[in-house]
Amino acid sequence: MQDVRLDPTTRQVWRGEREIRLSRKEFQLLHALMARPGDIVTRGELMADVWQTSFYTNSKTIDVHLGWLRRKLDDDPRSPTLITTHRGRGLRFETAQDTVAS
């Protein structure tokens, strides 16, 4: 999956050979997306998986954590290639062969 590796046991993440330090929520968000590569994961699913709540508001919780995560992974927020946003549908961790933003 591109050049990102994640070890759920040790909670370590690498981009290429470089280890990336993530907060607990950033790690959980990345793990939730990488567990379903190429699939669109809804914001409701992310709220349940990462924040253990079914309560979803218009708060920017996911967007804020996603911004931090993209910066740490060097995924350009203006033109992301790792984690893409699909307006009205959710987020997707792109596999190398289907990197297409919408």
Side-chain angles (χ1 to χ4, degrees):
M1 278 185 279
Q2 300 212 35
D3 61 346
V4 177
R5 292 178 294 127
L6 179 146
D7 184 334
T9 305
T10 63
R11 291 183 20 92
Q12 290 177 286
V13 174
W14 298 267
R15 176 96 196 247
E17 297 300 314
R18 181 173 57 101
E19 185 174 353
I20 310 286
R21 297 238 182 249
L22 300 178
S23 72
R24 179 179 303 276
K25 291 298 181 195
E26 291 165 348
F27 180 87
Q28 290 172 329
L29 178 58
L30 181 60
H31 187 249
L33 292 167
M34 287 184 73
R36 296 173 52 189
D39 291 344
I40 294 175
V41 183
T42 68
R43 290 175 179 270
E45 290 169 324
L46 292 171
M47 288 303 290
D49 291 349
V50 177
W51 283 270
Q52 286 78 47
T53 182
S54 59
F55 179 70
Y56 177 69
T57 67
N58 273 339
S59 76
K60 297 293 182 182
T61 301
I62 292 173
D63 294 329
V64 168
H65 284 83
L66 178 62
W68 293 334
L69 182 57
R70 281 180 172 153
R71 275 191 290 283
K72 288 181 179 183
L73 293 172
D74 294 326
D75 193 20
D76 183 357
R78 289 179 301 271
S79 183
T81 59
L82 289 175
I83 302 169
T84 57
T85 300
H86 298 265
R87 195 173 301 268
R89 296 173 63 204
L91 302 171
R92 177 167 65 188
F93 187 86
E94 299 293 346
T95 60
Q97 63 271 19
D98 64 18
T99 305
V100 176
S102 63

